[in-house]
Amino acid sequence: MIYRLDRLVESDVNPITGHAYDNSWIILMTTDSFDYQQMCGSSNGCAYTIKISCNQYKN
């Protein structure tokens, strides 16, 4: 299943379920950041996240 959110605060609480993330969740996030093209990993107990900057990575 795919869920779309307009904003996501990276924390250990899954905003869809209201519970902690488990290993079945992956986040694909598009941003407007100038700090990176792509970034992978997890922070603040969030699910594994792939971030892609639309400003830095045009493809």
Side-chain angles (χ1 to χ4, degrees):
M1 185 150 305
I2 297 173
Y3 299 93
R4 182 184 181 276
L5 300 172
D6 290 328
R7 280 181 253 192
L8 175 70
V9 176
E10 292 181 73
S11 72
D12 62 343
V13 177
N14 183 329
I16 305 299
T17 65
H19 300 287
Y21 284 101
D22 61 29
N23 62 1
S24 67
W25 288 86
I26 296 173
I27 297 170
L28 173 62
M29 183 183 299
T30 56
T31 71
D32 293 327
S33 177
F34 286 99
D35 296 333
Y36 56 84
Q37 286 185 344
Q38 300 173 359
M39 187 167 46
C40 300
S42 178
S43 65
N44 301 320
C46 194
Y48 188 79
T49 304
I50 301 165
K51 295 181 185 179
I52 301 170
S53 172
C54 297
N55 285 324
Q56 298 288 358
Y57 192 79
K58 303 296 182 192
N59 295 322

